[in-house]
Amino acid sequence: MNKLNVLIIDDDKLQANMLKSTISSIGDFNVQCVYSGNEAMNLINKNQFDLIFCDLQMPEMDGVEFLSNLDKDKFSGGVVIVSSLGSTLISIVDDLCNAFNFSFVESLEKPINVNQINNILEQVKIQINNGNENISMRGISISDDEILSLLKSGKFINYYQPQVDFNSGQIVSMEVLARLEHPIYGILAPFYFLSQLESNGLLDDLFNVVIDNAIRDFLLGKIKGKVSINITQDTIGKVGFANQFISKCKSNDVDPNIFILELNEGDAYNTTSSFLENISRLRIHNVGISIDDFGTGYSSLEKLSRLPFTEMKLDKSFISYCLSDEYKKVVIKFALALSKELNIPIVAEGVENKETWQYLKNIGFDICQGYFTGKPSRLN
């Protein structure tokens, strides 16, 4: 792996250089420090950086203004928000950065410790090493005609991430994560193709490819247990979707109950008659329905309580660094209590270390998904 190029922006020179020293002690990185947003923008215009650590409270150009300017300049690497201004403000800026086109977003509340830095750098290295997914691959250009051709020629493949039972430690299901096997750029994550597929009306086609790949892997004996697949409200709301899905399973002699369809919380609120018909028929045939990214949408709890969900997945933004954030713990405990009242299992996404795993196990979470228990990979 090539050296990771890291930029640190902090008007406190002592803290900036202490962070530089910490990163350098962890691994072989190219690390530079600057002490203002303006200086950083000038440097970024001349150099390529994979990861930027940015303080929020700086004179002239504060961190939020800098990050907004970074997005306007179409920076596609990763950012780590660093501040002593409190977890509430940091969370807001974290949400802002997730709305930008950065490929990696994390946040740290000062004072920072070595374990936190090491965890972030490990996540970045895993992203890079896992299928050669480079978080700052620049110059990638895929035309609409090419992406349609790649879709038709079987270049979209399935990666699978295990979901592990907290109590038994056994893999109980796997989530499918779509990847593009590009002849020039290598393995690409959804960051590089999902919006283009959406703008060309090809998300239904991607879902069909993913489900066909999953059925093939199941018939080859590669899949044990259940399989979770992401689906959009538009796809699951299509007239006749349930019938087509069930027919595809039966024609391949696969029981539909091995599948769990993951629907984003925000989409779950936008129900139509065809959506309700499809989701009802899917449940009659024992297809699982999971509410994904719980806590990030705008759904009404009353509406969610009336839909036949069989699983709840708490978004990783609440799991990351929850041990040091009391606000995140409040949301986590609320979601856990809600899942118990609704009598459905709850999945913790984004579990990256043993301490977080142990905390979630102790308070009663059912299933773990994250790099701590297994990173996404192809099935042999």
Side-chain angles (χ1 to χ4, degrees), residues 9 44 56 79 92 115 132 150 203 236 273 301 326 372:
I9 311 161
I44 290 166
L56 293 183
V79 299
I92 294 172
N115 289 336
N132 295 320
L150 292 167
L203 290 184
I236 202 171
S273 58
L301 293 177
E326 293 302 319
F372 178 71

Side-chain angles (χ1 to χ4, degrees), residues 354-374:
K354 183 177 181 179
E355 293 76 17
T356 304
W357 179 88
Q358 189 65 56
Y359 169 72
L360 296 170
K361 179 180 185 296
N362 289 343
I363 65 174
F365 266 73
D366 300 300
I367 300 170
C368 170
Q369 181 177 341
Y371 286 130
F372 178 71
T373 51

